Amino acid sequence: MYLPFIDASRNPTATRRTRGWRGARAFALVTVTAVTAFAFSPANAASTGDSVEIPFWSRNWTGTIGNRHVEVSLSRVADTVSGSYCYAPCTSDKRYRLALKGTLDAHGVTLSERDSGAKANADRVTGTWRAASFDNAVTGTWASPDGKRTLPVSLAPKQDGRPFPYEVRLVADKLPDDSSSCNDPPHVFAIRLYDRGRLVQTLQTDSQGTCGLPTPEFADVNFDGWPDLMLAQGMGASPNIPYQTWIFNPKTRRFVDAPQGLQDITSPDFDPVHRIIWTNWRASCCEHGVTTYRWQGNDVKEVDSASSYLLPVLDGNTRRYCYVVPGYGDGYIEFPQRIEQTDAGLRSTLGAPKDCEVGDSPQMSRVYIDIWKPGAAGSAPTLVRTEKVAWKRTSTRAGMKFCPDVPFYDNGRIRRILLRDDPDQCSDSNPDES
């Protein structure tokens, strides 16, 4: 029996603005072909009364198609197998481009291949995979759409860490279907763990996706070297997705509920190198941030947090406001887009100012310029100072008011501009004193 491994390809030290390694599997939009009341076996979904038991696995391989090296990632939900592969070296722009999807039955697995990055007709089948099994090492064939060209497929399991100790089956009210309907997706109310067909443990849950089936994820959440288990509880406003987490106890070989501090973190990611838990979050349409946590005793505690803000810049005579968002990488939070203080003066990492919004911001409380000193390789930058909006009493066409004196980054220097053209941006009283 093959067991899934923790996916070490998830790079915990890279700065990411998406869910990265887990986002693609949090809610699997799967199609299932004609899976009805099968007799129970590890290979098929089993129906009992008002519930159905759905086999699940997530696996990775390396190997060859013909003489070319490939990396393959697949997940199984019921009798549907889907995922992607890439030709080595697998750069980020092509890792998930070649999509695979098909079915598993008593005769083996057949997968259709599509180039999801094609400029035209991305749904066109570009090849067909056939293999007797994806349980361990894989031997099969790749065939061109017309069947005139075939290549041997040879894959070996990617050994990335300790194996997840059990087979996983979801208990739901029904199977996912191929209608692409979001009206009534399956409701998962338990996870059953099996060892060679013997039920070891049942974990109660309450999970329902928006348009697909929520599927388990494996991560070492307490950094003890053993894979733990997570399941998204709903598809809220991304990235604020709640998760239920269970921690594996290697002594009892059973899973226990994670502490409340971890359960309360939405969309958590895990950095085993620095032993940090981190999350990207969204407070509103216009505020995004990152928070980090560490284990302290038997629970997790917040370490640091940062949120987005509006960085004012001058593009010639045009006033612009750049929306800058923090990211996590190498054990600390930083703003990849920022103003830096160097020995030669100020410099910007913002890129083209024309990508930033034109017009004065109504949210002056979130307008400022943080100036950073770059850190050494692998070290966090240091905040040198913050240039804030000041409120000055001045004459406007609506009379005397307090108007914002805004710092703008202007080609290596800070230039302040008193914005009194629009009295609506000004105030009868000093906001700094309120």
Side-chain angles (χ1 to χ4, degrees):
M1 178 182 69
Y2 176 81
L3 297 171
F5 285 76
I6 301 176
D7 185 358
S9 67
R10 301 163 175 171
N11 182 0
T13 61
T15 298
R16 288 164 289 187
R17 298 198 180 183
T18 65
R19 290 297 300 143
W21 51 264
R22 285 211 315 266
R25 290 177 184 154
F27 281 79
L29 302 179
V30 298
T31 57
V32 180
T33 59
V35 184
T36 55
F38 284 98
F40 179 77
S41 75
N44 299 113
S47 177
T48 305
D50 295 330
S51 66
V52 62
E53 194 173 63
I54 304 171
F56 169 81
W57 50 248
S58 179
R59 300 172 182 170
N60 302 291
W61 295 264
T62 59
T64 56
I65 298 177
N67 61 1
R68 297 187 65 183
H69 289 276
V70 294
E71 296 182 16
V72 182
S73 296
L74 294 173
S75 294
R76 175 199 175 176
V77 180
D79 286 354
T80 292
V81 178
S82 61
S84 62
Y85 82 100
C86 56
Y87 289 95
C90 292
T91 55
S92 59
D93 61 326
K94 65 179 182 179
R95 178 169 292 278
Y96 305 108
R97 178 167 173 167
L98 296 174
L100 297 170
K101 189 172 186 178
T103 58
L104 177 153
D105 58 28
H107 303 290
V109 183
T110 301
L111 303 175
S112 295
E113 170 194 297
R114 291 174 172 82
D115 183 354
S116 61
K119 294 182 179 179
N121 198 10
D123 198 46
R124 181 177 65 90
V125 174
T126 55
T128 300
W129 292 44
R130 290 184 175 86
S133 170
F134 278 88
D135 284 340
N136 203 316
V138 176
T139 300
T141 59
W142 174 93
S144 61
D146 58 10
K148 295 181 179 179
R149 183 173 176 233
T150 62
L151 295 171
V153 175
S154 179
L155 306 174
K158 192 174 180 180
Q159 308 285 325
D160 288 330
R162 283 193 173 106
F164 190 79
Y166 301 119
E167 301 167 12
V168 177
R169 297 168 196 163
L170 305 175
V171 184
D173 60 345
K174 61 182 178 180
L175 289 163
D177 59 40
D178 59 358
S179 66
S180 300
S181 172
C182 299
N183 294 329
D184 189 22
H187 174 210
V188 177
F189 50 85
I191 300 174
R192 290 177 184 157
L193 305 176
Y194 288 86
D195 185 6
R196 297 178 180 86
R198 177 180 64 88
L199 180 62
V200 174
Q201 189 174 4
T202 299
L203 304 172
Q204 301 299 324
T205 189
D206 183 12
S207 177
Q208 188 170 33
T210 303
C211 298
L213 182 75
T215 56
E217 303 171 30
F218 311 104
D220 182 8
V221 305
N222 60 346
F223 311 121
D224 67 348
W226 290 92
D228 305 304
L229 185 61
M230 304 175 66
L231 186 69
Q233 297 299 285
M235 182 60 81
S238 179
N240 303 340
I241 300 173
Y243 277 80
Q244 186 173 2
T245 302
W246 299 269
I247 295 176
F248 181 66
N249 184 330
K251 294 182 179 179
T252 63
R253 298 191 65 78
R254 294 180 69 83
F255 286 84
V256 298
D257 290 333
Q260 194 61 46
L262 179 55
Q263 305 280 17
D264 289 341
I265 302 172
T266 58
S267 303
D269 260 306
F270 304 90
D271 177 356
V273 175
H274 301 94
R275 303 177 72 87
I276 287 176
I277 302 166
W278 60 281
T279 178
N280 289 309
W281 48 262
R282 183 177 75 171
S284 68
C285 68
C286 308
E287 183 178 3
H288 299 75
V290 177
T291 301
T292 57
Y293 305 81
R294 284 190 184 275
W295 282 93
Q296 294 182 15
N298 294 321
D299 209 341
V300 298
K301 304 296 182 184
E302 182 177 321
V303 174
D304 193 12
S305 189
S307 64
S308 57
Y309 66 95
L310 295 164
L311 196 160
V313 298
L314 285 178
D315 179 18
N317 293 321
T318 303
R319 300 193 291 261
R320 296 182 182 272
Y321 294 83
C322 301
Y323 186 67
V324 295
V325 181
Y328 175 80
D330 293 324
Y332 53 83
I333 299 172
E334 68 172 340
F335 288 86
Q337 295 178 307
R338 60 182 182 243
I339 304 301
E340 294 183 337
Q341 177 73 63
T342 69
D343 293 339
L346 299 180
R347 69 182 180 191
S348 168
T349 66
L350 290 172
K354 287 182 172 52
D355 294 335
C356 302
E357 292 294 325
V358 177
D360 292 321
S361 170
Q363 304 179 59
M364 285 297 163
S365 62
R366 297 182 57 219
V367 173
Y368 54 89
I369 302 177
D370 278 341
I371 298 175
W372 300 86
K373 180 181 178 181
S379 299
T382 303
L383 181 61
V384 177
R385 70 182 190 274
T386 300
E387 296 282 349
K388 299 180 180 180
V389 173
W391 293 85
K392 293 186 176 182
R393 194 166 185 268
T394 187
S395 175
T396 73
R397 64 175 181 266
M400 297 298 292
K401 289 182 176 291
F402 287 91
C403 296
D405 183 46
V406 179
F408 287 86
Y409 176 78
D410 182 18
N411 291 319
R413 65 190 180 101
I414 302 298
R415 178 183 169 191
R416 286 189 168 270
I417 300 177
L418 184 61
L419 305 182
R420 60 183 179 182
D421 300 338
D422 183 1
D424 290 339
Q425 281 201 304
C426 303
S427 173
D428 292 332
S429 59
N430 189 346
D432 286 338
E433 296 177 356
S434 60

